[in-house]
Amino acid sequence: MTIDPMACQFAEAERLDAEGMYDPAFEHDACGVGFVAALDGKPRRDVVVAGVDALKAVWHRGAVDADGKTGDGAGIQVQIPQGFFKEHVERTGHETGEGRLAVGMVFLPKTDLGAAEVCRAIVESEILNFGYRIFGWRQVPINSAIIGEKANATRPEIEQIMIANEDGINDHQFERDLYIIRRKIELGVREAQVADFYICSLSCRSIVYKGMFLAEQLSAFYPDLLDERFVSSFAIFHQRYSTNTFPTWKLAQPFRMIAHNGEINTVRGNTNWMKSHEARIGHDAFAEHLDVIKPVIQSGSSDSAALDSVFELLVHAERSVPLVKTMMIPEAWADNADLSEEVRDLYLYCNTVMEPWDGPAAIAASDGRWVLAGMDRNGLRPMRYSQTRDGLLFVGSETGMVPIAEQDLVHCGRLGPGQMIAVDLAEGRLYKDEELKEHLAAQQPYSQWVGNITHLDTLVEAQDGTEHLFDLGDLKTRQRAASYSIEDLELILQPMVETAKEPIGSMGDDTPLAVLSDQYRGLHHFFRQNFSQVTNPPIDSLRERRVMTLDTRLGNLSNILDQDESQTRILQLQSPVLTNAQFQAMRRYMKDSATVIDCTFDAGRDDENALSDAIQRIRQESEDAVRGGCEHIILTDEATGPDRVAMPMILVAGAVHSHLVRQSLRTFTSLNVRSGECLDVHYFAVLVGRRCHHGQRLSCRGRHRRTAPPRSVV
């Protein structure tokens, strides 16, 4: 008896999905990725050949089914060979003209002819409604005999639609129109409730050929890639190796702009932040079509697909590919003395605009103008490059993907943590890491813009001391009210105060799970750390100062598509955990723009709705404050006393945040917490970690201590 691993995997997927235990957010990758580019930016046949050969060389980075033919997915993105497609169009009796034609690579339902026809009608109507002419559909030649049974069973119908640009619209505007058209098509298909539809690419610059097959099968499955007329100035390739995920045709990479090896560990927080940002997104490029591009990240997207969705939005909002990579996946710059002041100011500006997408990442990206490879701040995925005398640049997960004679090599090396290498195809120019960052830093007066940033430390230095909030007796009473024990004070608080380090215990934790305990347990005990998957080592900002920081900010939750100095009018904090002195300085900075909300409820109420009524009150007060122009909300349990009971701040902060998100108000205010419950590192981590799960930006402090609060890792 033989066991089919992939069949078992699909069966398990169906079982988990039926039981509500599978989530597409589990999708992660550890793949092979790279690109080949002509340094002069001119299309060449050998670029496509080298891209296909490089992909075949990283076959070992993908998984193979028991049938030996079905794979996790592989693909290639190349420049649209205009001559190849124009010849096809002219054979059908159309005049193509001088301008670029656009091509859409479309996956249609294969087994439901009616649904496929509905999809074609939606595609055609949206293109025509935007004022463009359609040359027609092309059945993509494929060789289905070479792929495995599983891949063939789920294979979509693969067709291309060709679109004319007869009004002389420049390529940049044409590309943006095609992006909006694609989003309109996707919306129409969702409303028609048609499954198994996917647009791999819709562009006048590039096209994606991909599928659920082995890397070595790519050019055999798609004979187009073997045609001598198929030329390109670049080729991005990707071999998928999925972990905790199930292979599908649409999840094969490259996506529309990127190919990604690694995992975005912060994807849940980044996705939720994007939902919050959507309320204020705006750009002249999208005009009246803003509602069509929302949600930016489609439900069920993998971490790589989510990254690609935001990446292409920022590119279409007139940011270059290198700048978007710098913004989304920055290097660790704060303590890097090798960076020039101008580049540091560039990173400081990017930090004020949006949250980094963090995790092991090696990406290859292109918008048809730029082709780029870049690394995450830790450099936890490999990326090597070789430059040849005949004007080609090879970048990929391994060296030697394509055999190159030693005498033909001009230079070879590897990308380190946070580094990039790119080719400007329009200028025909190679940019290495340092030169590229200096080039980006010179695009705008970033050094002038970051002068608007206010640093909290400068405000603290300007004030006269700190008042004690409570006398010793009141302090002890409040500690008891927050469920502090002698053991907590001796084993947790004292070591942190005396050594400024997290207390260390045994690796094993034999404490009963909070949900099973018959004793009161703080709400933070019900949370467990969600560890990274696969090979990612645990790191923190104290032991890894070179690549991590606790720096956070208050302000600039406005339009992430803007590019001006107003985005840098923020308050910069070195940590989200504040001392009394820091909080008082921050409070003076906020002036009348802050609203304080009491997070206690009447101790005399003994009905079961007391807590829920209090939560609803706090939500409503927060909403009213933001609608009234409040820029900062301070949630506090200072009123705790004989007649007032404090609510768990984790519960309150999550409730207020989620309510403001639903009301599209979250990006108009910051959330700040003053709580007597915050004692150990785990509580701070859970409270600040709500940002990762629900998109919150919090400033937290322990107000009950007369000594300095502990340093904590969050």
Side-chain angles (χ1 to χ4, degrees), residues 357-368:
W357 290 59
D358 191 33
I363 69 164
S366 178
D367 64 346

Side-chain angles (χ1 to χ4, degrees), residues 370-405:
W370 288 87
V371 59
L372 168 146
M375 297 284 285
D376 69 285
R377 59 180 173 81
N378 282 291
L380 294 177
R381 291 293 184 271
M383 189 69 86
R384 297 182 177 273
Y385 65 87
S386 300
Q387 180 182 347
T388 66
R389 296 189 187 281
D390 60 350
L392 293 181
L393 178 68
F394 298 83
V395 187
S397 299
E398 341 211 332
T399 189
M401 297 173 300
V402 177
I404 302 172

Side-chain angles (χ1 to χ4, degrees), residues 28 263-273 303 328 355-360 377 532 691-693:
H28 299 294
E263 301 170 86
I264 300 300
N265 293 334
T266 58
V267 64
R268 185 182 299 180
N270 292 126
T271 299
N272 286 317
W273 262 123
D303 58 341
M328 295 189 68
E355 305 71 29
W357 290 59
D358 191 33
R377 59 180 173 81
S532 303
R691 175 175 180 260
C692 295
H693 292 279

Side-chain angles (χ1 to χ4, degrees), residues 509-528 682:
D509 181 4
D510 59 357
T511 306
L513 293 175
V515 71
L516 302 177
S517 177
D518 57 3
Q519 302 294 320
Y520 171 77
R521 301 288 294 277
L523 187 59
H524 62 295
H525 289 152
F526 290 80
F527 290 81
R528 294 282 174 169
H682 184 62

